[in-house]
């Protein structure tokens, strides 16, 4: 099952020392967030990736063309460095297709432009390329395959530190409530899709606010709520938090690392009408 990763974001809210990097290439530890997401999918057996490239396409291509396995794997060096024996490998089984989908292209159009590379897969996966989770992807896919929906997205609680202000017309404040504590969900950026999603997606459109909404109105889109770990990397603050978690070894998204795994609580499906599916620019 192929995985489409949208890699066109500029990461303007994270500019600090990595000005030329596209958002998916912003590092967490020694590896970019894109690598962490690909390792997540590979853990569940999904090792065929289609990268929908935009801003900074060459940075993504060059990273993998010059990939250094020794940066994240143990190895044995002999003969004064002339021979290196890897004790494990990250990407030797991965197949990665690099597709330039344009600089200012909407996510839905990026998906349309990589469709020729997906036609062998009736069902495929997609991801924004800047969000981490510990969600059980195998269960999510299994649940989806039992339906006739054309797509599903993962619903999560908002992580923002903002507060919602409730007030009267005369300016009197009635309440102040943190967004993270409200009984609402947002689009978590992890999709399972069928080829039928393209029936709802027109040229130049957005995947979520156009195609997913149309499919939902036809009763053909699903939601998989996840109450475990989920974290976006939209801002410098969010990246710094993930960097610190990685530094101290608290990496719940690293499902490929047995020591990082923890109990995953399964929650029931709900219809897409029960969440707020926020658009993203990637």
């Amino acid at each position: 099952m192929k995985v489409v990763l949208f890699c066109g974001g500029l990461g303007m809210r994270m500019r600090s020392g990595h000005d030329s990097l596209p958002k998916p290439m912003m590092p967490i530890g020694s590896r970019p967030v894109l690598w962490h997401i690909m390792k997540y999918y590979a853990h569940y057996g999904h090792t065929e990736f289609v990268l929908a490239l935009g801003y900074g396409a060459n940075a993504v291509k060059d990273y993998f063309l010059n990939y250094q396995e020794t940066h994240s794997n143990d190895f044995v060096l002999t003969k004064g460095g002339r021979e290196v024996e890897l004790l494990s490998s990250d990407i030797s089984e991965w197949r990665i297709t690099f597709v330039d989908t344009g600089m200012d292209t909407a996510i839905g159009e990026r998906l349309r432009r990589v469709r020729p590379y997906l036609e062998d897969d009736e069902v495929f996966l997609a991801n924004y390329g800047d969000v981490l989770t510990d969600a059980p992807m195998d269960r999510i896919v299994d649940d989806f395959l039992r339906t006739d929906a054309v797509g599903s997205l993962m619903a999560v609680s908002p992580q923002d530190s903002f507060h919602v202000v409730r007030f009267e017309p005369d300016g009197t404040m009635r309440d102040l409530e943190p967004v993270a504590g409200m009984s609402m969900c947002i689009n978590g950026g992890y999709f399972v899709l069928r080829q039928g999603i393209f029936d709802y997606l027109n040229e130049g459109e957005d995947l979520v606010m156009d195609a997913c909404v149309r499919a939902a109105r036809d009763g053909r889109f699903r939601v998989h709520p996840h109450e475990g770990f989920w974290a976006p990397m939209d801002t410098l603050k969010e990246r710094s938090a993930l960097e610190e978690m990685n530094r101290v070894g608290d990496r719940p998204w690293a499902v490929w690392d047995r020591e990082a795994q923890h109990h995953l609580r399964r929650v029931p499906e709900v219809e897409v009408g029960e969440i707020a599916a926020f658009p993203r620019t990637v």
Side-chain angles (χ1 to χ4, degrees), residues 196-213:
I197 193 66
F198 292 106
D199 295 336
Y200 295 92
L201 183 60
N202 299 318
E203 184 176 355
E205 290 188 334
D206 183 67
L207 171 62
V208 173
M209 297 308 295
D210 293 312
C212 297
V213 170

Side-chain angles (χ1 to χ4, degrees), residues 24-222:
M25 296 305 293
M26 295 290 181
I28 299 176
S30 63
R31 296 295 192 192
V33 64
L34 178 64
W35 177 90
H36 290 266
I37 294 169
M38 294 169 80
K39 283 283 285 185
Y40 165 84
Y41 280 110
H43 171 76
Y44 291 105
H46 308 297
T47 57
E48 292 189 64
F49 301 98
V50 180
L51 305 188
L53 304 174
Y55 171 80
N58 287 342
V60 181
K61 294 175 183 178
D62 289 346
Y63 178 78
F64 286 103
L65 285 172
N66 301 291
Y67 190 81
Q68 296 293 324
E69 288 273 20
T70 53
H71 287 185
S72 52
N73 293 289
D74 295 337
F75 61 94
V76 176
L77 184 148
T78 56
K79 297 184 179 179
R82 293 192 302 275
E83 291 187 6
V84 176
E85 177 189 352
L86 288 170
L87 300 181
S88 59
S89 174
D90 292 327
I91 70 172
S92 61
E93 302 302 318
W94 295 5
R95 177 182 173 86
I96 309 173
T97 302
F98 299 81
V99 185
D100 194 336
T101 56
M103 286 288 291
D104 300 311
T105 312
I107 290 178
E109 181 60 22
R110 292 191 193 279
L111 184 61
R112 279 169 42 88
R113 293 183 185 184
V114 302
R115 186 180 184 183
Y117 306 96
L118 302 171
E119 291 183 346
D120 292 339
D121 286 31
E122 171 59 23
V123 178
F124 57 93
L125 309 174
N127 188 284
Y128 282 140
D130 64 352
V131 282
L132 298 171
T133 188
D134 63 358
M137 185 52 60
D138 52 349
R139 299 180 191 175
I140 291 174
V141 170
D142 288 345
D143 288 347
F144 176 77
L145 293 177
R146 287 193 286 268
T147 76
D148 64 352
V150 298
S152 73
L153 59 79
M154 190 170 73
V156 297
S157 298
Q159 303 294 308
D160 290 323
S161 58
F162 300 112
H163 292 73
V164 173
V165 180
R166 306 185 191 281
F167 58 95
E168 303 294 347
D170 66 358
T172 302
M173 188 172 77
R174 292 189 291 108
D175 196 12
L176 194 66
E177 185 176 359
V179 170
M182 299 179 71
S183 57
M184 60 180 292
C185 289
I186 63 172
N187 169 18
Y190 283 73
F191 300 88
V192 185
L193 302 168
R194 280 192 169 94
Q195 288 287 333
I197 193 66
F198 292 106
D199 295 336
Y200 295 92
L201 183 60
N202 299 318
E203 184 176 355
E205 290 188 334
D206 183 67
L207 171 62
V208 173
M209 297 308 295
D210 293 312
C212 297
V213 170
R214 289 193 191 107
R217 289 170 180 165
D218 282 350
R220 302 201 63 201
F221 209 89
R222 305 292 297 176

Side-chain angles (χ1 to χ4, degrees), residues 222-236:
R222 305 292 297 176
V223 164
H224 292 268
H226 177 58
E227 294 184 351
F229 176 82
W230 177 86
M233 206 175 81
D234 279 332
T235 67
L236 181 59

